[in-house]
Coordinates of all heavy atoms in Angstrom, one line a residue:
V1352 N 142.3 13.9 138.0 CA 142.2 14.3 136.6 C 141.0 13.5 136.0 O 140.8 12.3 136.2 CB 143.5 13.8 135.8 CG1 143.3 14.1 134.3 CG2 144.7 14.5 136.3
M1353 N 140.1 14.3 135.3 CA 139.0 13.6 134.6 C 139.2 13.8 133.1 O 139.4 14.9 132.7 CB 137.7 14.3 135.1 CG 136.5 13.9 134.2 SD 136.0 12.2 134.5 CE 135.1 12.3 136.0
E1354 N 139.3 12.7 132.4 CA 139.4 12.7 131.0 C 138.1 12.2 130.4 O 137.5 11.2 130.8 CB 140.6 11.9 130.5 CG 141.9 12.4 131.0 CD 143.1 11.6 130.5 OE1 143.0 10.4 130.2 OE2 144.2 12.2 130.4
V1355 N 137.7 12.9 129.3 CA 136.5 12.4 128.5 C 136.9 12.1 127.1 O 137.7 12.9 126.5 CB 135.5 13.7 128.5 CG1 134.3 13.2 127.8 CG2 135.2 14.1 129.9
Y1356 N 136.5 10.9 126.7 CA 136.9 10.4 125.4 C 135.6 10.3 124.4 O 134.6 10.0 124.9 CB 137.4 9.0 125.5 CG 138.8 9.0 126.2 CD1 138.9 9.0 127.5 CD2 140.0 9.1 125.4 CE1 140.2 9.0 128.2 CE2 141.2 9.1 126.0 CZ 141.3 9.1 127.4 OH 142.6 9.1 127.9
A1357 N 135.9 10.5 123.1 CA 135.0 10.3 122.1 C 135.5 9.2 121.3 O 136.5 9.4 120.6 CB 134.7 11.5 121.2
G1358 N 135.1 7.9 121.5 CA 135.8 6.8 120.9 C 137.1 6.6 121.6 O 137.3 6.6 122.8
E1359 N 138.2 6.6 120.8 CA 139.6 6.5 121.3 C 140.3 7.9 121.5 O 141.3 8.0 122.0 CB 140.4 5.7 120.4 CG 140.0 4.2 120.3 CD 140.8 3.4 119.4 OE1 141.8 3.8 118.9 OE2 140.5 2.2 119.1
K1360 N 139.6 8.9 121.1 CA 140.1 10.3 121.0 C 139.8 11.0 122.4 O 138.7 11.2 122.7 CB 139.7 11.1 119.9 CG 140.3 12.4 119.8 CD 139.8 13.2 118.5 CE 140.5 14.6 118.5 NZ 140.0 15.4 117.5
L1361 N 140.8 11.6 123.0 CA 140.7 12.4 124.2 C 140.1 13.7 123.7 O 140.7 14.5 122.8 CB 142.0 12.7 124.9 CG 142.0 13.6 126.0 CD1 141.2 13.1 127.2 CD2 143.5 13.8 126.5
V1362 N 139.0 14.2 124.3 CA 138.4 15.4 123.8 C 138.3 16.5 124.9 O 138.2 17.6 124.6 CB 136.9 15.2 123.3 CG1 136.9 14.4 122.0 CG2 136.0 14.5 124.3
R1363 N 138.3 16.1 126.2 CA 138.4 17.1 127.3 C 139.2 16.5 128.4 O 139.2 15.3 128.7 CB 137.0 17.3 127.8 CG 136.0 18.1 127.0 CD 136.3 19.6 127.0 NE 135.4 20.3 126.3 CZ 135.5 20.6 124.9 NH1 136.5 20.1 124.3 NH2 134.5 21.3 124.4
R1364 N 139.9 17.3 129.1 CA 140.7 16.9 130.2 C 140.5 18.1 131.3 O 140.8 19.2 131.0 CB 142.2 16.7 130.0 CG 143.0 16.4 131.3 CD 144.4 16.3 131.1 NE 144.7 15.0 130.3 CZ 145.7 14.8 129.5 NH1 146.5 15.8 129.3 NH2 145.9 13.6 128.9
F1365 N 140.1 17.6 132.5 CA 140.0 18.5 133.6 C 141.1 18.1 134.7 O 141.1 16.9 135.0 CB 138.6 18.4 134.3 CG 137.5 18.8 133.3 CD1 136.9 17.8 132.6 CD2 137.1 20.1 133.1 CE1 135.9 18.1 131.7 CE2 136.1 20.4 132.2 CZ 135.5 19.4 131.5
I1366 N 141.9 19.1 135.1 CA 142.9 18.8 136.2 C 142.6 19.5 137.4 O 141.7 20.4 137.5 CB 144.3 19.2 135.6 CG1 144.4 20.6 135.2 CG2 144.7 18.3 134.4 CD1 145.8 21.1 134.8
K1367 N 143.3 19.1 138.5 CA 143.1 19.7 139.8 C 141.7 19.5 140.3 O 141.1 20.4 140.9 CB 143.5 21.1 139.8 CG 145.1 21.4 139.5 CD 145.5 22.7 140.0 CE 147.0 22.8 139.7 NZ 147.8 22.0 140.5
V1368 N 141.1 18.4 140.0 CA 139.8 18.0 140.4 C 139.8 17.5 141.9 O 140.6 16.5 142.2 CB 139.1 16.9 139.5 CG1 137.8 16.5 140.0 CG2 139.1 17.4 138.0
D1369 N 139.1 18.1 142.8 CA 139.1 17.7 144.2 C 138.3 16.4 144.3 O 138.7 15.6 145.0 CB 138.4 18.8 145.0 CG 139.3 20.0 145.2 OD1 140.5 19.9 145.0 OD2 138.7 21.1 145.4
K1370 N 137.1 16.3 143.7 CA 136.3 15.2 143.9 C 135.2 15.2 142.7 O 134.9 16.2 142.2 CB 135.6 15.1 145.2 CG 134.6 16.1 145.4 CD 133.9 16.0 146.7 CE 132.9 17.1 147.0 NZ 132.1 16.9 148.2
V1371 N 134.7 14.1 142.4 CA 133.6 13.9 141.5 C 132.4 13.4 142.3 O 132.6 12.4 143.0 CB 134.0 13.0 140.3 CG1 132.8 12.8 139.3 CG2 135.1 13.5 139.6
S1372 N 131.3 14.1 142.2 CA 130.2 13.7 143.0 C 129.0 13.1 142.1 O 128.9 13.5 140.9 CB 129.6 14.9 143.8 OG 130.6 15.4 144.7
T1373 N 128.2 12.3 142.7 CA 127.0 11.8 142.0 C 125.8 12.8 142.3 O 125.6 13.1 143.5 CB 126.6 10.4 142.5 OG1 127.7 9.6 142.4 CG2 125.4 9.9 141.8
A1374 N 125.1 13.2 141.3 CA 124.0 14.1 141.4 C 122.8 13.3 142.0 O 122.6 12.1 141.7 CB 123.6 14.7 140.1
L1375 N 122.1 13.9 142.9 CA 120.9 13.3 143.6 C 119.7 14.1 143.3 O 119.8 15.4 143.1 CB 121.1 13.2 145.1 CG 122.3 12.4 145.6 CD1 122.4 12.5 147.1 CD2 122.1 11.0 145.2
G1376 N 118.6 13.5 143.0 CA 117.3 14.1 142.8 C 116.9 15.0 143.9 O 117.1 14.7 145.0
T1377 N 116.3 16.2 143.6 CA 115.9 17.1 144.6 C 114.7 16.6 145.4 O 114.7 16.6 146.6 CB 115.4 18.4 144.0 OG1 116.5 18.9 143.2 CG2 115.0 19.4 145.0
D1378 N 113.7 16.0 144.7 CA 112.5 15.5 145.4 C 112.7 14.0 145.9 O 112.2 13.7 147.1 CB 111.3 15.5 144.5 CG 111.0 17.0 144.2 OD1 111.2 17.9 144.9 OD2 110.5 17.2 143.0
D1379 N 113.3 13.2 145.2 CA 113.4 11.8 145.6 C 114.7 11.3 146.2 O 114.8 10.3 146.8 CB 113.0 10.8 144.5 CG 113.9 11.0 143.3 OD1 115.0 11.7 143.4 OD2 113.7 10.4 142.2
G1380 N 115.7 12.2 146.1 CA 117.0 11.8 146.7 C 117.7 10.7 146.0 O 118.7 10.2 146.5
K1381 N 117.2 10.2 144.8 CA 117.9 9.1 144.1 C 119.0 9.6 143.3 O 118.9 10.6 142.7 CB 116.8 8.3 143.3 CG 115.8 7.6 144.2 CD 114.8 6.9 143.3 CE 113.8 6.2 144.2 NZ 112.8 5.4 143.4
P1382 N 120.0 8.7 143.1 CA 121.2 9.1 142.2 C 120.7 9.3 140.8 O 119.9 8.6 140.2 CB 122.1 7.9 142.3 CG 121.6 7.1 143.5 CD 120.2 7.4 143.7

Side-chain angles (χ1 to χ4, degrees):
V1352 176
M1353 171 66 78
E1354 292 183 338
V1355 182
Y1356 291 85
E1359 295 180 11
K1360 182 179 181 185
L1361 176 63
V1362 293
R1363 292 278 185 274
R1364 176 182 288 150
F1365 301 94
I1366 58 175
K1367 298 197 177 290
V1368 177
D1369 291 333
K1370 66 178 179 174
V1371 177
S1372 300
T1373 302
L1375 299 176
T1377 303
D1378 295 329
D1379 61 9
K1381 293 183 181 178

